[in-house]
PDB file of all heavy atoms in Angstrom:
ATOM      1  N   MET A  14      28.336 -10.782  -2.469  1.00  0.00           N
ATOM      2  CA  MET A  14      27.393 -11.333  -1.500  1.00  0.00           C
ATOM      3  C   MET A  14      27.642 -10.827  -0.080  1.00  0.00           C
ATOM      4  O   MET A  14      28.765 -10.469   0.285  1.00  0.00           O
ATOM      5  CB  MET A  14      27.437 -12.867  -1.534  1.00  0.00           C
ATOM      6  CG  MET A  14      26.930 -13.459  -2.839  1.00  0.00           C
ATOM      7  SD  MET A  14      26.845 -15.275  -2.820  1.00  0.00           S
ATOM      8  CE  MET A  14      25.430 -15.520  -1.729  1.00  0.00           C
ATOM      9  N   VAL A  15      26.548 -10.809   0.692  1.00  0.00           N
ATOM     10  CA  VAL A  15      26.586 -10.347   2.075  1.00  0.00           C
ATOM     11  C   VAL A  15      26.044 -11.449   2.979  1.00  0.00           C
ATOM     12  O   VAL A  15      24.990 -12.034   2.691  1.00  0.00           O
ATOM     13  CB  VAL A  15      25.726  -9.077   2.262  1.00  0.00           C
ATOM     14  CG1 VAL A  15      25.683  -8.657   3.725  1.00  0.00           C
ATOM     15  CG2 VAL A  15      26.243  -7.946   1.383  1.00  0.00           C
ATOM     16  N   ALA A  16      26.751 -11.742   4.062  1.00  0.00           N
ATOM     17  CA  ALA A  16      26.245 -12.653   5.092  1.00  0.00           C
ATOM     18  C   ALA A  16      25.874 -11.808   6.300  1.00  0.00           C
ATOM     19  O   ALA A  16      26.698 -11.058   6.815  1.00  0.00           O
ATOM     20  CB  ALA A  16      27.304 -13.684   5.477  1.00  0.00           C
ATOM     21  N   ARG A  17      24.614 -11.909   6.714  1.00  0.00           N
ATOM     22  CA  ARG A  17      24.165 -11.102   7.855  1.00  0.00           C
ATOM     23  C   ARG A  17      23.536 -12.006   8.907  1.00  0.00           C
ATOM     24  O   ARG A  17      22.968 -13.052   8.614  1.00  0.00           O
ATOM     25  CB  ARG A  17      23.212  -9.998   7.408  1.00  0.00           C
ATOM     26  CG  ARG A  17      21.859 -10.452   6.872  1.00  0.00           C
ATOM     27  CD  ARG A  17      20.796 -10.382   7.944  1.00  0.00           C
ATOM     28  NE  ARG A  17      19.456 -10.654   7.450  1.00  0.00           N
ATOM     29  CZ  ARG A  17      18.403 -10.853   8.229  1.00  0.00           C
ATOM     30  NH1 ARG A  17      18.530 -10.843   9.540  1.00  0.00           N
ATOM     31  NH2 ARG A  17      17.216 -11.092   7.722  1.00  0.00           N
ATOM     32  N   CYS A  18      23.664 -11.581  10.158  1.00  0.00           N
ATOM     33  CA  CYS A  18      23.186 -12.394  11.279  1.00  0.00           C
ATOM     34  C   CYS A  18      21.662 -12.392  11.335  1.00  0.00           C
ATOM     35  O   CYS A  18      21.032 -11.329  11.375  1.00  0.00           O
ATOM     36  CB  CYS A  18      23.764 -11.866  12.580  1.00  0.00           C
ATOM     37  SG  CYS A  18      23.381 -12.911  14.003  1.00  0.00           S
ATOM     38  N   ALA A  19      21.067 -13.580  11.365  1.00  0.00           N
ATOM     39  CA  ALA A  19      19.615 -13.721  11.327  1.00  0.00           C
ATOM     40  C   ALA A  19      18.946 -13.224  12.603  1.00  0.00           C
ATOM     41  O   ALA A  19      17.800 -12.752  12.564  1.00  0.00           O
ATOM     42  CB  ALA A  19      19.245 -15.185  11.081  1.00  0.00           C
ATOM     43  N   GLU A  20      19.625 -13.339  13.736  1.00  0.00           N
ATOM     44  CA  GLU A  20      19.015 -12.969  15.009  1.00  0.00           C
ATOM     45  C   GLU A  20      19.024 -11.467  15.277  1.00  0.00           C
ATOM     46  O   GLU A  20      18.378 -11.003  16.219  1.00  0.00           O
ATOM     47  CB  GLU A  20      19.713 -13.688  16.168  1.00  0.00           C
ATOM     48  CG  GLU A  20      19.343 -15.148  16.307  1.00  0.00           C
ATOM     49  CD  GLU A  20      19.988 -16.038  15.253  1.00  0.00           C
ATOM     50  OE1 GLU A  20      21.065 -15.664  14.730  1.00  0.00           O
ATOM     51  OE2 GLU A  20      19.423 -17.099  14.951  1.00  0.00           O
ATOM     52  N   HIS A  21      19.747 -10.724  14.471  1.00  0.00           N
ATOM     53  CA  HIS A  21      19.826  -9.288  14.685  1.00  0.00           C
ATOM     54  C   HIS A  21      18.806  -8.609  13.784  1.00  0.00           C
ATOM     55  O   HIS A  21      18.873  -8.717  12.564  1.00  0.00           O
ATOM     56  CB  HIS A  21      21.247  -8.794  14.435  1.00  0.00           C
ATOM     57  CG  HIS A  21      22.230  -9.422  15.376  1.00  0.00           C
ATOM     58  ND1 HIS A  21      23.597  -9.392  15.182  1.00  0.00           N
ATOM     59  CD2 HIS A  21      22.038 -10.118  16.528  1.00  0.00           C
ATOM     60  CE1 HIS A  21      24.194 -10.028  16.184  1.00  0.00           C
ATOM     61  NE2 HIS A  21      23.259 -10.479  17.002  1.00  0.00           N
ATOM     62  N   PRO A  22      17.820  -7.921  14.392  1.00  0.00           N
ATOM     63  CA  PRO A  22      16.571  -7.617  13.699  1.00  0.00           C
ATOM     64  C   PRO A  22      16.632  -6.596  12.582  1.00  0.00           C
ATOM     65  O   PRO A  22      15.822  -6.636  11.659  1.00  0.00           O
ATOM     66  CB  PRO A  22      15.659  -7.119  14.830  1.00  0.00           C
ATOM     67  CG  PRO A  22      16.599  -6.608  15.873  1.00  0.00           C
ATOM     68  CD  PRO A  22      17.794  -7.492  15.801  1.00  0.00           C
ATOM     69  N   PHE A  23      17.558  -5.643  12.631  1.00  0.00           N
ATOM     70  CA  PHE A  23      17.510  -4.581  11.625  1.00  0.00           C
ATOM     71  C   PHE A  23      18.900  -4.022  11.351  1.00  0.00           C
ATOM     72  O   PHE A  23      19.620  -3.647  12.280  1.00  0.00           O
ATOM     73  CB  PHE A  23      16.592  -3.447  12.106  1.00  0.00           C
ATOM     74  CG  PHE A  23      16.337  -2.408  11.051  1.00  0.00           C
ATOM     75  CD1 PHE A  23      15.417  -2.632  10.054  1.00  0.00           C
ATOM     76  CD2 PHE A  23      17.028  -1.208  11.064  1.00  0.00           C
ATOM     77  CE1 PHE A  23      15.179  -1.673   9.061  1.00  0.00           C
ATOM     78  CE2 PHE A  23      16.799  -0.239  10.086  1.00  0.00           C
ATOM     79  CZ  PHE A  23      15.867  -0.480   9.085  1.00  0.00           C
ATOM     80  N   PHE A  24      19.244  -3.960  10.076  1.00  0.00           N
ATOM     81  CA  PHE A  24      20.508  -3.363   9.680  1.00  0.00           C
ATOM     82  C   PHE A  24      20.326  -2.132   8.799  1.00  0.00           C
ATOM     83  O   PHE A  24      21.123  -1.203   8.870  1.00  0.00           O
ATOM     84  CB  PHE A  24      21.383  -4.385   8.935  1.00  0.00           C
ATOM     85  CG  PHE A  24      21.959  -5.454   9.826  1.00  0.00           C
ATOM     86  CD1 PHE A  24      21.433  -6.728   9.836  1.00  0.00           C
ATOM     87  CD2 PHE A  24      23.022  -5.182  10.665  1.00  0.00           C
ATOM     88  CE1 PHE A  24      21.961  -7.722  10.655  1.00  0.00           C
ATOM     89  CE2 PHE A  24      23.568  -6.160  11.491  1.00  0.00           C
ATOM     90  CZ  PHE A  24      23.025  -7.430  11.488  1.00  0.00           C
ATOM     91  N   SER A  25      19.303  -2.141   7.943  1.00  0.00           N
ATOM     92  CA  SER A  25      19.148  -1.041   6.998  1.00  0.00           C
ATOM     93  C   SER A  25      17.780  -1.094   6.335  1.00  0.00           C
ATOM     94  O   SER A  25      17.177  -2.167   6.218  1.00  0.00           O
ATOM     95  CB  SER A  25      20.239  -1.114   5.918  1.00  0.00           C
ATOM     96  OG  SER A  25      20.062  -0.118   4.933  1.00  0.00           O
ATOM     97  N   TYR A  26      17.295   0.052   5.887  1.00  0.00           N
ATOM     98  CA  TYR A  26      16.082   0.054   5.062  1.00  0.00           C
ATOM     99  C   TYR A  26      16.395  -0.235   3.605  1.00  0.00           C
ATOM    100  O   TYR A  26      15.494  -0.346   2.772  1.00  0.00           O
ATOM    101  CB  TYR A  26      15.316   1.383   5.182  1.00  0.00           C
ATOM    102  CG  TYR A  26      16.116   2.644   4.906  1.00  0.00           C
ATOM    103  CD1 TYR A  26      16.779   2.853   3.692  1.00  0.00           C
ATOM    104  CD2 TYR A  26      16.189   3.647   5.864  1.00  0.00           C
ATOM    105  CE1 TYR A  26      17.483   4.010   3.441  1.00  0.00           C
ATOM    106  CE2 TYR A  26      16.897   4.813   5.626  1.00  0.00           C
ATOM    107  CZ  TYR A  26      17.537   4.988   4.408  1.00  0.00           C
ATOM    108  OH  TYR A  26      18.257   6.143   4.167  1.00  0.00           O
ATOM    109  N   ASP A  27      17.672  -0.352   3.253  1.00  0.00           N
ATOM    110  CA  ASP A  27      18.064  -0.599   1.874  1.00  0.00           C
ATOM    111  C   ASP A  27      17.832  -2.048   1.466  1.00  0.00           C
ATOM    112  O   ASP A  27      17.732  -2.953   2.295  1.00  0.00           O
ATOM    113  CB  ASP A  27      19.528  -0.210   1.669  1.00  0.00           C
ATOM    114  CG  ASP A  27      19.711   1.306   1.667  1.00  0.00           C
ATOM    115  OD1 ASP A  27      19.015   1.976   0.897  1.00  0.00           O
ATOM    116  OD2 ASP A  27      20.543   1.804   2.447  1.00  0.00           O
ATOM    117  N   ASP A  28      17.786  -2.267   0.159  1.00  0.00           N
ATOM    118  CA  ASP A  28      17.359  -3.549  -0.391  1.00  0.00           C
ATOM    119  C   ASP A  28      18.254  -4.718  -0.007  1.00  0.00           C
ATOM    120  O   ASP A  28      17.776  -5.850   0.133  1.00  0.00           O
ATOM    121  CB  ASP A  28      17.284  -3.462  -1.928  1.00  0.00           C
ATOM    122  CG  ASP A  28      16.139  -2.580  -2.402  1.00  0.00           C
ATOM    123  OD1 ASP A  28      15.366  -2.105  -1.548  1.00  0.00           O
ATOM    124  OD2 ASP A  28      16.030  -2.358  -3.625  1.00  0.00           O
ATOM    125  N   TRP A  29      19.556  -4.472   0.165  1.00  0.00           N
ATOM    126  CA  TRP A  29      20.459  -5.591   0.476  1.00  0.00           C
ATOM    127  C   TRP A  29      20.047  -6.293   1.764  1.00  0.00           C
ATOM    128  O   TRP A  29      20.240  -7.499   1.902  1.00  0.00           O
ATOM    129  CB  TRP A  29      21.916  -5.113   0.571  1.00  0.00           C
ATOM    130  CG  TRP A  29      22.216  -4.242   1.760  1.00  0.00           C
ATOM    131  CD1 TRP A  29      22.208  -2.884   1.801  1.00  0.00           C
ATOM    132  CD2 TRP A  29      22.563  -4.667   3.087  1.00  0.00           C
ATOM    133  NE1 TRP A  29      22.520  -2.432   3.066  1.00  0.00           N
ATOM    134  CE2 TRP A  29      22.744  -3.498   3.873  1.00  0.00           C
ATOM    135  CE3 TRP A  29      22.738  -5.909   3.694  1.00  0.00           C
ATOM    136  CZ2 TRP A  29      23.088  -3.545   5.226  1.00  0.00           C
ATOM    137  CZ3 TRP A  29      23.076  -5.953   5.041  1.00  0.00           C
ATOM    138  CH2 TRP A  29      23.255  -4.796   5.786  1.00  0.00           C
ATOM    139  N   PHE A  30      19.453  -5.520   2.718  1.00  0.00           N
ATOM    140  CA  PHE A  30      18.982  -6.136   3.952  1.00  0.00           C
ATOM    141  C   PHE A  30      17.501  -6.511   3.884  1.00  0.00           C
ATOM    142  O   PHE A  30      17.130  -7.642   4.204  1.00  0.00           O
ATOM    143  CB  PHE A  30      19.205  -5.212   5.154  1.00  0.00           C
ATOM    144  CG  PHE A  30      18.481  -5.692   6.384  1.00  0.00           C
ATOM    145  CD1 PHE A  30      18.901  -6.828   7.057  1.00  0.00           C
ATOM    146  CD2 PHE A  30      17.331  -5.057   6.836  1.00  0.00           C
ATOM    147  CE1 PHE A  30      18.214  -7.312   8.159  1.00  0.00           C
ATOM    148  CE2 PHE A  30      16.638  -5.521   7.946  1.00  0.00           C
ATOM    149  CZ  PHE A  30      17.081  -6.650   8.607  1.00  0.00           C
ATOM    150  N   ILE A  31      16.641  -5.582   3.513  1.00  0.00           N
ATOM    151  CA  ILE A  31      15.200  -5.842   3.513  1.00  0.00           C
ATOM    152  C   ILE A  31      14.866  -7.037   2.623  1.00  0.00           C
ATOM    153  O   ILE A  31      13.942  -7.804   2.914  1.00  0.00           O
ATOM    154  CB  ILE A  31      14.418  -4.595   3.068  1.00  0.00           C
ATOM    155  CG1 ILE A  31      14.644  -3.441   4.058  1.00  0.00           C
ATOM    156  CG2 ILE A  31      12.933  -4.887   2.964  1.00  0.00           C
ATOM    157  CD1 ILE A  31      14.143  -3.721   5.460  1.00  0.00           C
ATOM    158  N   GLY A  32      15.629  -7.243   1.563  1.00  0.00           N
ATOM    159  CA  GLY A  32      15.407  -8.393   0.689  1.00  0.00           C
ATOM    160  C   GLY A  32      15.623  -9.726   1.374  1.00  0.00           C
ATOM    161  O   GLY A  32      15.183 -10.766   0.869  1.00  0.00           O
ATOM    162  N   SER A  33      16.294  -9.712   2.522  1.00  0.00           N
ATOM    163  CA  SER A  33      16.523 -10.960   3.263  1.00  0.00           C
ATOM    164  C   SER A  33      15.457 -11.180   4.331  1.00  0.00           C
ATOM    165  O   SER A  33      15.541 -12.127   5.101  1.00  0.00           O
ATOM    166  CB  SER A  33      17.915 -10.947   3.914  1.00  0.00           C
ATOM    167  OG  SER A  33      17.994  -9.960   4.933  1.00  0.00           O
ATOM    168  N   THR A  34      14.445 -10.303   4.359  1.00  0.00           N
ATOM    169  CA  THR A  34      13.316 -10.459   5.276  1.00  0.00           C
ATOM    170  C   THR A  34      12.088 -10.892   4.476  1.00  0.00           C
ATOM    171  O   THR A  34      12.170 -11.140   3.268  1.00  0.00           O
ATOM    172  CB  THR A  34      13.011  -9.147   6.016  1.00  0.00           C
ATOM    173  OG1 THR A  34      12.386  -8.210   5.117  1.00  0.00           O
ATOM    174  CG2 THR A  34      14.283  -8.527   6.578  1.00  0.00           C
ATOM    175  N   GLU A  35      10.954 -10.944   5.138  1.00  0.00           N
ATOM    176  CA  GLU A  35       9.708 -11.278   4.447  1.00  0.00           C
ATOM    177  C   GLU A  35       9.233 -10.168   3.513  1.00  0.00           C
ATOM    178  O   GLU A  35       8.434 -10.408   2.610  1.00  0.00           O
ATOM    179  CB  GLU A  35       8.600 -11.564   5.472  1.00  0.00           C
ATOM    180  CG  GLU A  35       8.751 -12.871   6.227  1.00  0.00           C
ATOM    181  CD  GLU A  35       7.528 -13.167   7.069  1.00  0.00           C
ATOM    182  OE1 GLU A  35       7.192 -12.332   7.917  1.00  0.00           O
ATOM    183  OE2 GLU A  35       6.911 -14.227   6.857  1.00  0.00           O
ATOM    184  N   LEU A  36       9.728  -8.972   3.710  1.00  0.00           N
ATOM    185  CA  LEU A  36       9.222  -7.803   2.975  1.00  0.00           C
ATOM    186  C   LEU A  36      10.003  -7.589   1.686  1.00  0.00           C
ATOM    187  O   LEU A  36      10.851  -6.703   1.585  1.00  0.00           O
ATOM    188  CB  LEU A  36       9.304  -6.565   3.875  1.00  0.00           C
ATOM    189  CG  LEU A  36       8.578  -6.694   5.216  1.00  0.00           C
ATOM    190  CD1 LEU A  36       8.814  -5.478   6.087  1.00  0.00           C
ATOM    191  CD2 LEU A  36       7.091  -6.891   4.989  1.00  0.00           C
ATOM    192  N   THR A  37       9.708  -8.382   0.681  1.00  0.00           N
ATOM    193  CA  THR A  37      10.480  -8.371  -0.564  1.00  0.00           C
ATOM    194  C   THR A  37       9.799  -7.598  -1.696  1.00  0.00           C
ATOM    195  O   THR A  37      10.342  -7.531  -2.796  1.00  0.00           O
ATOM    196  CB  THR A  37      10.734  -9.810  -1.038  1.00  0.00           C
ATOM    197  OG1 THR A  37       9.475 -10.495  -1.174  1.00  0.00           O
ATOM    198  CG2 THR A  37      11.614 -10.564  -0.042  1.00  0.00           C
ATOM    199  N   LEU A  38       8.638  -7.011  -1.439  1.00  0.00           N
ATOM    200  CA  LEU A  38       7.934  -6.268  -2.473  1.00  0.00           C
ATOM    201  C   LEU A  38       8.788  -5.101  -2.971  1.00  0.00           C
ATOM    202  O   LEU A  38       9.301  -4.306  -2.188  1.00  0.00           O
ATOM    203  CB  LEU A  38       6.601  -5.734  -1.919  1.00  0.00           C
ATOM    204  CG  LEU A  38       5.681  -5.008  -2.902  1.00  0.00           C
ATOM    205  CD1 LEU A  38       5.201  -5.952  -3.993  1.00  0.00           C
ATOM    206  CD2 LEU A  38       4.491  -4.389  -2.165  1.00  0.00           C
ATOM    207  N   GLY A  39       8.974  -5.025  -4.291  1.00  0.00           N
ATOM    208  CA  GLY A  39       9.742  -3.945  -4.881  1.00  0.00           C
ATOM    209  C   GLY A  39      11.237  -4.180  -4.937  1.00  0.00           C
ATOM    210  O   GLY A  39      11.984  -3.284  -5.358  1.00  0.00           O
ATOM    211  N   ILE A  40      11.697  -5.350  -4.538  1.00  0.00           N
ATOM    212  CA  ILE A  40      13.131  -5.649  -4.506  1.00  0.00           C
ATOM    213  C   ILE A  40      13.464  -6.686  -5.570  1.00  0.00           C
ATOM    214  O   ILE A  40      12.759  -7.687  -5.727  1.00  0.00           O
ATOM    215  CB  ILE A  40      13.552  -6.156  -3.107  1.00  0.00           C
ATOM    216  CG1 ILE A  40      13.217  -5.099  -2.053  1.00  0.00           C
ATOM    217  CG2 ILE A  40      15.053  -6.470  -3.076  1.00  0.00           C
ATOM    218  CD1 ILE A  40      13.496  -5.534  -0.636  1.00  0.00           C
ATOM    219  N   LEU A  41      14.538  -6.460  -6.317  1.00  0.00           N
ATOM    220  CA  LEU A  41      14.935  -7.352  -7.409  1.00  0.00           C
ATOM    221  C   LEU A  41      15.384  -8.712  -6.873  1.00  0.00           C
ATOM    222  O   LEU A  41      16.013  -8.804  -5.820  1.00  0.00           O
ATOM    223  CB  LEU A  41      16.073  -6.722  -8.207  1.00  0.00           C
ATOM    224  CG  LEU A  41      15.768  -5.373  -8.893  1.00  0.00           C
ATOM    225  CD1 LEU A  41      17.019  -4.836  -9.567  1.00  0.00           C
ATOM    226  CD2 LEU A  41      14.637  -5.518  -9.909  1.00  0.00           C
ATOM    227  N   ASP A  42      15.056  -9.768  -7.623  1.00  0.00           N
ATOM    228  CA  ASP A  42      15.429 -11.129  -7.228  1.00  0.00           C
ATOM    229  C   ASP A  42      16.938 -11.261  -7.039  1.00  0.00           C
ATOM    230  O   ASP A  42      17.404 -11.954  -6.134  1.00  0.00           O
ATOM    231  CB  ASP A  42      14.942 -12.138  -8.264  1.00  0.00           C
ATOM    232  CG  ASP A  42      13.432 -12.335  -8.230  1.00  0.00           C
ATOM    233  OD1 ASP A  42      12.821 -11.981  -7.200  1.00  0.00           O
ATOM    234  OD2 ASP A  42      12.870 -12.832  -9.220  1.00  0.00           O
ATOM    235  N   GLU A  43      17.707 -10.623  -7.908  1.00  0.00           N
ATOM    236  CA  GLU A  43      19.162 -10.713  -7.819  1.00  0.00           C
ATOM    237  C   GLU A  43      19.666 -10.155  -6.491  1.00  0.00           C
ATOM    238  O   GLU A  43      20.582 -10.705  -5.877  1.00  0.00           O
ATOM    239  CB  GLU A  43      19.803  -9.941  -8.980  1.00  0.00           C
ATOM    240  CG  GLU A  43      21.330 -10.012  -8.984  1.00  0.00           C
ATOM    241  CD  GLU A  43      21.954  -9.235 -10.127  1.00  0.00           C
ATOM    242  OE1 GLU A  43      21.196  -8.708 -10.971  1.00  0.00           O
ATOM    243  OE2 GLU A  43      23.187  -9.156 -10.173  1.00  0.00           O
TER     244      GLU A  43
END
């Protein structure tokens, strides 16, 4: 698991980060 700061807007285009935003299309639930 990864804990990332909510107030910091962007960390990566990879799924581990984008999956924690509203843009979850194409990202596995796990």
Side-chain angles (χ1 to χ4, degrees):
M14 294 185 72
V15 176
R17 67 97 173 169
C18 186
E20 284 75 26
H21 298 165
F23 188 79
F24 288 104
S25 176
Y26 54 58
D27 287 307
D28 290 356
W29 69 266
F30 168 71
I31 297 297
S33 67
T34 73
E35 288 188 302
L36 304 175
T37 56
L38 184 64
I40 301 176
L41 299 176
D42 288 341
E43 181 181 355

